[in-house]
Amino acid sequence: EAAVTQSPRSKVAVTGGKVTLSCHQTNNHDYMYWYRQDTGHGLRLIHYSYVADSTEKGDIPDGYKASRPSQENFSLILELASLSQTAVYFCASSESGTKDTQYFGPGTRLLVL
Amino acid sequence: GDSVTQTEGPVTVSESESLIINCTYSATSIAYPNLFWYVRYPGEGLQLLLKVITAGQKGSSRGFEATYNKETTSFHLQKASVQESDSAVYYCALGASSGSWQLIFGSGTQLTVMP
């Protein structure tokens, strides 16, 4: 019973198309995050949220939107997918009191052609 | 800026051999960084392996150890005798103990343990 799940686990998208990545957590955590990882690089923060119906920009938000409709769910939206957005995307959650101890999902491998 | 540099992979060792994965950090905007090792097993998400919040202290978990060395800005991961089940990707990371919440990750080190 994984506490952070992501869907889909992998996806192939076309350039200019819309992509939605979903994340669900059962940790009862307030904070949720979206990171991307490119080959040979560390994870970089795209968006995060500390309460439902509110999202904040991370280090690399350009080209991405986020949505937090409930405490459990957090989506990452690519309105116009581009080749440069090919990466592995990780979702994570954390408690308010220990925000830097984060619990991660298994990742979504996105290939944009 | 804030950054983490770790041993480039892949690293291959034989079972029962010792292991060290180097990690150094730069925390110019974080006064008292917390240091982490995360591990990603095949097909799974990153899991917290160990966390140390005080300089000079050592963290340990599953036979792995890492000491927070503020003088050398290092947090190397060590294990005396690895097992095949330790094969995974290991990530060093730093985070703030207050104020900013962000985690800064290294690029990861792929470890393969040969039987």
Side-chain angles (χ1 to χ4, degrees):
Chain A
E1 55 285 287
V4 181
T5 56
Q6 295 181 229
S7 62
R9 293 293 309 276
S10 66
K11 184 172 180 65
V12 179
V14 295
T15 303
K18 182 177 180 177
V19 177
T20 300
L21 306 182
S22 299
C23 179
H24 178 81
Q25 57 104 353
T26 57
N27 293 324
N28 199 33
H29 288 166
D30 290 327
Y31 281 74
M32 295 187 75
Y33 313 83
W34 276 107
Y35 291 88
R36 66 175 278 174
Q37 184 179 25
D38 299 283
T39 302
H41 293 84
L43 282 70
R44 292 181 292 168
L45 184 69
I46 306 170
H47 284 287
Y48 68 100
S49 168
Y50 54 84
V51 67
D53 296 321
S54 177
T55 63
E56 305 292 333
K57 295 180 179 179
D59 285 345
I60 53 166
D62 293 345
Y64 302 94
K65 290 183 179 179
S67 173
R68 181 93 181 268
S70 64
Q71 186 192 42
E72 298 80 16
N73 296 294
F74 192 36
S75 297
L76 185 68
I77 303 149
L78 291 65
E79 295 278 4
L80 295 170
S82 66
L83 296 174
S84 64
Q85 293 177 313
T86 292
V88 180
Y89 292 84
F90 291 98
C91 177
S93 72
S94 70
E95 294 182 279
S96 299
T98 53
K99 293 185 286 294
D100 62 354
T101 301
Q102 298 177 11
Y103 297 84
F104 285 80
T108 295
R109 188 173 297 274
L110 175 65
L111 174 62
V112 182
L113 300 175
Chain B
D2 303 321
S3 65
V4 174
T5 303
Q6 62 181 99
T7 300
E8 285 195 23
V11 171
T12 302
V13 297
S14 297
E15 204 163 30
S16 78
E17 286 187 348
S18 63
L19 170 73
I20 181 166
I21 299 176
N22 291 325
C23 172
T24 57
Y25 67 90
S26 172
T28 55
S29 68
I30 304 171
Y32 303 99
N34 297 340
L35 298 177
F36 302 80
W37 278 100
Y38 279 83
V39 58
R40 184 185 181 202
Y41 297 104
E44 300 181 13
L46 283 77
Q47 303 174 19
L48 180 63
L49 179 60
L50 55 88
K51 171 183 177 179
V52 180
I53 64 173
T54 304
Q57 295 296 309
K58 179 169 67 177
S60 60
S61 174
R62 308 180 205 177
F64 290 90
E65 296 180 339
T67 300
Y68 186 159
N69 190 319
K70 189 174 181 180
E71 287 68 38
T72 59
T73 63
S74 66
F75 191 56
H76 307 319
L77 183 68
Q78 301 183 73
K79 189 172 187 181
S81 176
V82 296
Q83 302 172 332
E84 195 175 351
S85 58
D86 294 326
S87 296
V89 182
Y90 293 81
Y91 297 88
C92 185
L94 67 88
S97 56
S98 63
S100 172
W101 45 267
Q102 188 174 1
L103 281 173
I104 309 295
F105 283 90
S107 59
T109 301
Q110 172 75 57
L111 172 67
T112 301
V113 180
M114 305 296 293

